[in-house]
Amino acid sequence: GLALPNVVGASAAEPAVVAQTPLKPWKDYRCLYNIEMLVLCYDANISSARAQAMVLKLAETDVDAVMCCPTAWRTNVYPSEVDPEWKRFIGIRKLPKFPSFDHVMKFIHGGGDPVRDMLEASRKTGKGFFVSYRMNDLHHIEDKSFPTHNAFWREHPEYWLGDSNRTAYGAEDNRRLFNYMLDPVRDHYFAILEELATNYDIDGIELDFQRCSRFFHDDEIEAGKPVMTAFVRRVRQMLDRVGRGRGRALHLCVRVLPSVEDCLRVGLEVTAWDAERLVDMINVAPAFVHTTGLRIEQFKAQAPNSRVYGELNYLTAYADLPSGRHIRFTTFEIYRSSALSFLARGADGVSVFNFDHVPGNVRSAADMAKGLKGIANREFLRMASKNYLANGSAIPAKTFPAAESTAVDLFVADDTSQVPFGRAVLRVEIKERSKELDMAVSLNGTPLETYPAKDTELFPPVQRNPACPPKESLQFFNVPPELLIFGNNRFEIRGLGRLLGSFTILSLELALYRDSTPGGGTAGSPEPDGRPPL
């Protein structure tokens, strides 16, 4: 065997020898699950057992790879020597901007190690373990004094793209995000990744380029492309070196933007990385809000050497309104339809992001975990009731004159001639409100009849709040299931006389019910073992 003197998570029986039983190879991973260490900050009673519980709850789910994000935004939350922020802890400070931050700092200062705990729990449940590292983080960069900014960020403003008080969002590149054209920035990130790969018995690393996806000044993006490719190559070579020392391959995953063009616009030559075989896995992800408008087919065609994953996110709506922040959580029915859609469109698996952020008083961790049973199983998904969603980039013509028509294509991964559905209902949401809302909709050329819905939701929502739209912004239509085809279904939408001017489509949702009862309770949901309801 080969010595592993400092590797956390090596065999307990033979700590200095590579385990004889190889871990599950990366090519078998079907469901990646991102766990953000930030959530541990909110636990005043943080312990190793409580950290491990975040993974142990996934034991009976389809999750087979834990993607551990080892940061609380910009601060690393493990006993790092590269970023020793935890050594600065001097006691609970009751920080006004983020008082919970000291909980995790106290835990690490006292000998705790959340990454070690997550790794051990992953091994107990037979899951792969990856470190998912954010290559730039957007949180609170408009506030220099926010406590989760580490010393490397605070003490080196010369490494930032700019020094404005702007948030990370917007067109201007004058932001307090790191500039990857600078050697010290790349060297710092590489040192962190090397430390994690060396000190923990990981199965691979995910470079998270999506949160946040700005790395260069706008006028240096072309020059930055080979610089970022060289950085990815450097990480690949480091993983190869560490893996050879352990007698097995370590794999590189990249979390990237929804299309190849989106990636190129920010300096990421993802298809070139695939051609050079620098990466093994490509996790195609939305920025924050769940959508099926990910170019799965494009990545499969242009990056044939990598396994491609479609990401499922925990929100379908997010808005900062005068009355406060209002969000709409993704339902299990939307998770299931999206997962089946990605798999049917060629994805090798799915990934799950921010799943832990649904408040426990809304839905418990155990109940949330149940929704991941069967999430990567096409046969299970085919038999389930589902809620297909088209929103965001999946709606090409969002605003149009009411007198004209627009088309929205919705990919349906069900063959209704093989798996019968008792009823299907279409929900159209627009931005405007009208007590006389009146639209005409056809499906694949056949006009649809309106449906007298009693609720604003097709399935019971995770939580009701003002982000759930009023009836004045919604119209429902009965959809004969036999009209649906496997693949793209075209919905033609046109405003009628009582809807004046123009209107903006926010989303289309299509509910497929396994029985004939829309909405209400758990009607149409599959049994846990995948059998259809009786």
Side-chain angles (χ1 to χ4, degrees):
L2 297 170
L4 287 175
N6 299 311
V7 178
V8 175
S11 169
E14 295 178 312
V17 179
V18 176
Q20 297 303 304
T21 303
L23 297 177
K24 181 179 290 188
W26 66 270
K27 65 180 180 180
D28 288 337
Y29 294 143
R30 297 281 289 170
C31 184
L32 318 179
Y33 186 90
N34 188 285
I35 296 181
E36 185 181 4
M37 297 293 94
L38 172 75
V39 299
L40 293 174
C41 295
Y42 300 101
D43 187 351
N45 299 310
I46 180 175
S47 65
S48 291
R50 292 165 80 95
Q52 289 199 24
M54 297 176 66
V55 174
L56 297 178
K57 70 175 184 285
L58 305 172
E60 301 301 321
T61 71
D62 281 25
V63 173
D64 53 8
V66 171
M67 317 300 279
C68 173
C69 176
T71 62
W73 296 324
R74 284 204 171 271
T75 292
N76 289 279
V77 288
Y78 67 95
S80 172
E81 293 300 324
V82 178
D83 177 26
E85 197 71 20
W86 57 279
K87 293 184 179 180
R88 297 170 181 259
F89 178 78
I90 56 174
I92 298 297
R93 295 165 288 180
K94 297 183 179 180
L95 301 164
K97 294 180 179 178
F98 191 28
S100 300
F101 181 57
D102 271 341
H103 296 153
V104 73
M105 290 290 101
K106 178 182 178 181
F107 177 62
I108 299 169
H109 196 269
D113 185 345
V115 175
R116 175 196 62 204
D117 296 331
M118 294 287 172
L119 172 56
E120 291 182 1
S122 297
R123 295 294 180 251
K124 289 177 183 177
T125 52
K127 304 186 187 304
F129 184 82
F130 285 63
V131 166
S132 177
Y133 207 87
R134 296 180 178 182
M135 308 316 295
N136 241 339
D137 191 273
L138 54 82
H139 293 90
H140 304 289
I141 61 171
E142 71 280 4
D143 182 355
K144 292 182 179 180
S145 64
F146 203 81
T148 59
H149 298 322
N150 62 0
F152 185 74
W153 185 90
R154 290 193 310 267
E155 296 170 6
H156 294 287
E158 71 274 18
Y159 298 160
W160 301 340
L161 290 171
D163 194 11
S164 72
N165 290 326
R166 297 185 180 98
T167 66
Y169 303 100
E172 304 87 355
D173 60 9
N174 182 16
R175 316 277 167 164
R176 296 186 187 120
L177 295 164
F178 281 132
N179 180 359
Y180 268 74
M181 290 298 286
L182 303 177
D183 291 346
V185 169
R186 300 193 307 278
D187 289 345
H188 173 78
Y189 276 91
F190 179 82
I192 288 286
L193 296 171
E194 186 176 40
E195 177 181 58
L196 287 161
T198 301
N199 291 349
Y200 299 91
D201 188 30
I202 64 172
D203 298 315
I205 283 176
E206 179 181 69
L207 305 179
D208 185 350
F209 291 105
Q210 175 59 289
R211 198 130 175 88
C212 153
S213 56
R214 189 186 287 274
F215 311 99
F216 307 105
H217 286 293
D218 292 342
D219 60 1
E220 292 187 317
I221 287 177
E222 284 304 313
K225 289 176 181 178
V227 172
M228 189 63 85
T229 295
F231 175 81
V232 174
R233 187 181 300 115
R234 186 182 181 191
V235 175
R236 165 83 276 162
Q237 292 168 349
M238 179 269 291
L239 288 177
D240 289 346
R241 170 173 50 80
V242 175
R244 282 193 296 271
R246 297 180 188 170
R248 72 173 193 275
L250 302 182
H251 298 283
L252 185 57
C253 178
V254 288
R255 182 172 182 254
V256 298
L257 285 70
S259 74
V260 171
E261 293 81 10
D262 291 337
C263 293
L264 289 172
R265 276 194 288 270
V266 299
L268 308 178
E269 301 177 300
V270 180
T271 58
W273 304 346
D274 173 82
E276 195 178 333
R277 296 182 182 265
L278 301 181
V279 300
D280 306 302
M281 303 153 70
I282 299 173
N283 182 8
V284 186
F288 187 60
V289 175
H290 179 87
T291 181
T292 54
L294 308 178
R295 301 289 298 279
I296 300 296
E297 300 90 338
Q298 181 190 50
F299 279 100
K300 285 296 294 182
Q302 298 186 31
N305 299 312
S306 301
R307 291 177 63 83
V308 174
Y309 297 79
E311 187 176 275
L312 313 170
N313 221 309
Y314 82 127
L315 298 178
T316 59
Y318 178 92
D320 283 320
L321 304 177
S323 56
R325 179 166 294 170
H326 301 294
I327 58 180
R328 187 173 180 228
F329 292 111
T330 306
T331 63
F332 290 156
E333 289 81 11
I334 291 178
Y335 276 122
R336 289 167 181 155
S337 68
S338 302
L340 185 60
S341 173
F342 291 149
L343 294 172
R345 289 159 54 193
D348 299 288
V350 297
S351 66
V352 185
F353 192 81
N354 270 354
F355 203 75
D356 289 312
H357 285 255
V358 175
N361 62 342
V362 174
R363 184 175 280 173
S364 71
D367 287 338
M368 288 296 294
K370 291 177 184 177
L372 295 175
K373 189 168 185 177
I375 198 64
N377 183 324
R378 290 183 69 167
E379 198 56 36
F380 173 92
L381 296 170
R382 286 176 63 246
M383 301 301 293
S385 291
K386 289 179 284 294
N387 189 1
Y388 285 96
L389 168 69
N391 64 341
S393 60
I395 302 179
K398 296 184 178 66
T399 301
F400 61 97
E404 300 179 7
S405 64
T406 191
V408 178
D409 290 333
L410 180 65
F411 190 96
V412 174
D414 284 282
D415 183 345
T416 57
S417 68
Q418 299 296 315
V419 178
F421 289 88
R423 178 179 285 275
V425 176
L426 178 72
R427 175 187 186 269
V428 181
E429 178 187 351
I430 67 170
K431 182 177 180 180
E432 297 75 16
R433 299 187 182 189
S434 172
K435 292 183 178 180
E436 296 184 335
L437 182 62
D438 198 3
M439 287 181 282
V441 177
S442 66
L443 166 60
N444 298 326
T446 300
L448 300 179
E449 297 180 355
T450 58
Y451 177 78
K454 296 180 181 179
D455 198 349
T456 59
E457 301 293 332
L458 294 169
F459 289 93
V462 178
Q463 180 184 46
R464 290 190 184 274
N465 61 51
C468 296
K471 290 185 176 180
E472 291 81 9
S473 294
L474 301 170
Q475 193 160 351
F476 296 81
F477 298 86
N478 183 55
V479 178
E482 63 271 15
L483 292 181
L484 295 166
I485 61 174
F486 180 92
N488 280 325
N489 288 260
R490 173 150 293 192
F491 291 91
E492 294 276 353
I493 303 168
R494 179 171 56 88
L496 298 180
R498 287 179 290 174
L499 185 65
L500 302 179
S502 62
F503 61 99
T504 303
I505 297 177
L506 294 181
S507 69
L508 263 69
E509 296 186 21
L510 174 68
L512 297 182
Y513 302 98
R514 287 283 286 131
D515 63 17
S516 59
T517 308
T522 57
S525 295
E527 296 294 329
D529 62 2
R531 292 180 290 109
L534 300 176

